[in-house]
Amino acid sequence: RLLMQKKNFITLVLSVIGGLLFGIGMCMCLIAEWNAFNAGVVIAAVGVIVLFSCSYSDCVQREKHLKSI
């Protein structure tokens, strides 16, 4: 029986959150009627930071695993 490991679940959740933040931020930047360009840039930047931190931590975990083999 295959179960999702805790670290994979956390990565999945953070990736979804980061993607949603990035998408909402880009919508705020591109839809002129909202008049929320500056806030959109900030929210999109936070989304990118969350996505890169997930990618970085996942790469570090894989390197540690490969070194232990």
Side-chain angles (χ1 to χ4, degrees):
R1 197 172 141 186
L2 296 174
L3 296 175
M4 183 176 285
Q5 295 177 352
K6 184 178 179 180
K7 63 182 177 181
N8 292 337
F9 182 72
I10 291 172
T11 303
L12 174 70
V13 170
L14 287 177
S15 297
V16 169
I17 290 171
L20 287 174
L21 286 174
F22 180 73
I24 290 170
M26 288 293 102
C27 287
M28 291 172 72
C29 290
L30 295 173
I31 298 176
E33 292 84 16
W34 289 5
N35 294 324
F37 183 82
N38 294 333
V41 169
V42 171
I43 291 175
V46 170
V48 168
I49 291 169
V50 170
L51 288 171
F52 279 137
S53 66
C54 289
S55 299
Y56 178 74
S57 66
D58 193 37
C59 289
V60 169
Q61 288 175 358
R62 286 183 184 165
E63 284 182 21
K64 285 181 182 179
H65 178 70
L66 289 176
K67 285 181 182 179
S68 67
I69 294 178

